[in-house]
């Protein structure tokens, strides 16, 4: 649904939060089952502050260089930061301690680097594994078949904690088109959870963006990542 430009960020935050509430309720899920992660790439600190004033509390950033100055500028605000973009191994050290959750771990090598840097920093980093549910050749993320071997290997890394899965489905015309991919992520999550790998929690499903977060919530999302429905279309 297109949000008219005249609407303020505050109005849009309220409308997304209320759509989440309604969808959660209709799906018969607990009221606190879904958290909104506002995707703030290219959004200025001033506009982010408007969103925080209207009820945002978790912000998702995609790029390390862009995120670090924003995190500094918003140190006074009650914000939790999530990293949702592709993360390069050489940048891991510079973000240790800044992000509550990294949604986008897409290789064992990246997990090993996070583990190493988290150990140096004396912390345990919570992560999600990004899954390429559509099997697209151009997209980051683990192939669904790779998870069975990767999860136990990662679970042995003492300074990361796997909390669940994340996906960006292939683009579809209608939000409904994404449903099968959300169902797939959920069934992968449930299959991993059923194996009871020590140290693996598997409670989170990060799925759904501006166009399809309602469908994602119906299919079990616990974290929805919404950008343009709050901040308007991105330029460039
Ligand atoms: C930009 C982005 C989003 C939000 O996309 P919108 O369509 O603007 O809601 C969600 N997840 C990731 C990983 C993103 O990069």
């Amino acid at each position: 649904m297109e949000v008219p430009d005249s609407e303020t960020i505050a109005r849009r935050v309220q409308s997304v939060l209320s759509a989440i509430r309604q969808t959660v309720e209709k799906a018969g899920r607990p009221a606190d089952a879904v958290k909104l992660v506002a995707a703030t790439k290219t959004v200025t600190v001033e506009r982010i502050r408007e969103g925080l004033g209207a009820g945002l509390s978790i912000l998702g950033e995609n790029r390390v260089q862009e995120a670090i100055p924003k995190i500094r500028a918003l140190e006074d605000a009650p914000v939790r930061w999530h990293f949702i973009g592709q993360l390069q191994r050489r940048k891991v050290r510079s973000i240790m301690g800044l992000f509550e959750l990294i949604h986008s771990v897409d290789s064992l090598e990246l997990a090993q680097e996070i583990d190493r840097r988290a150990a140096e920093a004396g912390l345990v980093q919570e992560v999600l594994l990004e899954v390429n549910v559509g099997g697209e050749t151009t997209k980051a993320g683990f192939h669904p078949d790779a998870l069975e071997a990767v999860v136990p290997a990662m679970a042995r890394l003492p300074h990361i904690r796997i909390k669940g899965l994340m996906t960006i489905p292939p683009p579809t015309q209608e939000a409904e088109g994404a449903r099968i991919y959300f169902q797939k992520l959920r069934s992968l999550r449930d299959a991993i959870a059923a194996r009871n790998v020590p140290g693996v929690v598997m409670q989170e499903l990060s799925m759904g963006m501006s166009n399809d977060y309602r469908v994602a919530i119906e299919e079990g999302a616990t974290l929805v990542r919404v950008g343009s429905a709050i901040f308007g279309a991105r330029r460039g």
Side-chain angles (χ1 to χ4, degrees):
M1 206 190 312
E2 200 56 51
V3 184
D5 254 302
S6 56
E7 265 187 293
T8 65
I9 288 170
R11 287 270 310 276
R12 293 179 193 164
V13 169
Q14 284 312 314
S15 100
V16 170
L17 286 172
S18 96
I20 290 172
R21 261 194 310 274
Q22 283 171 25
T23 312
V24 164
E25 192 180 332
K26 239 176 114 184
R29 300 181 58 195
D32 61 352
V34 179
K35 292 194 281 283
L36 171 61
V37 179
T40 48
K41 58 176 176 272
T42 78
V43 180
T44 62
V45 167
E46 290 65 35
R47 286 159 65 74
I48 292 174
R49 280 195 193 277
E50 284 182 51
L52 293 173
L56 296 180
S57 57
I58 307 175
L59 305 180
E61 279 284 331
N62 289 66
R63 290 157 56 89
V64 171
Q65 315 86 289
E66 185 184 341
I68 289 176
K70 286 181 178 174
I71 292 172
R72 291 215 185 96
L74 288 162
E75 254 162 9
D76 60 313
V79 186
R80 287 137 69 196
W81 294 92
H82 287 192
F83 195 85
I84 63 175
Q86 214 167 351
L87 180 57
Q88 291 167 289
R89 268 184 280 168
R90 63 190 170 82
K91 302 255 171 82
V92 168
R93 194 161 80 108
S94 62
I95 64 160
M96 273 304 113
L98 296 183
F99 293 94
E100 171 179 72
L101 182 67
I102 298 173
H103 288 226
S104 44
V105 171
D106 60 2
S107 71
L108 183 55
E109 293 73 23
L110 176 60
Q112 287 164 336
E113 177 65 6
I114 295 170
D115 178 66
R116 190 160 78 91
R117 298 305 185 180
E120 283 175 4
L123 52 87
V124 175
Q125 176 68 59
E126 297 191 339
V127 303
L128 306 180
L129 307 189
E130 181 170 356
V131 185
N132 182 357
V133 281
E136 299 158 280
T137 51
T138 54
K139 198 163 268 178
F142 290 102
H143 190 280
D145 297 341
L147 290 175
E148 184 166 352
V150 154
V151 169
M154 280 191 194
R156 286 192 285 273
L157 302 172
H159 292 271
I160 67 169
R161 186 159 297 131
I162 303 174
K163 301 284 283 185
L165 303 178
M166 177 270 220
T167 198
I168 304 171
T172 53
Q173 286 289 320
E174 305 287 330
E176 272 304 317
R179 189 179 296 276
I180 52 165
Y181 299 107
F182 296 148
Q183 288 169 343
K184 170 113 193 188
L185 196 72
R186 181 195 183 136
S187 69
L188 287 168
R189 194 266 318 259
D190 293 346
I192 296 167
R195 283 160 54 207
N196 286 315
V197 181
V200 177
V201 184
M202 280 296 152
Q203 65 200 17
E204 307 290 357
L205 279 179
S206 169
M207 58 190 195
M209 313 200 294
S210 290
N211 289 331
D212 54 18
Y213 67 90
R214 295 173 192 80
V215 176
I217 290 169
E218 288 165 6
E219 297 303 335
T222 64
L223 296 161
V224 292
R225 310 177 310 268
V226 178
S228 51
I230 294 171
F231 298 106
R234 287 177 294 273
R235 281 176 288 270

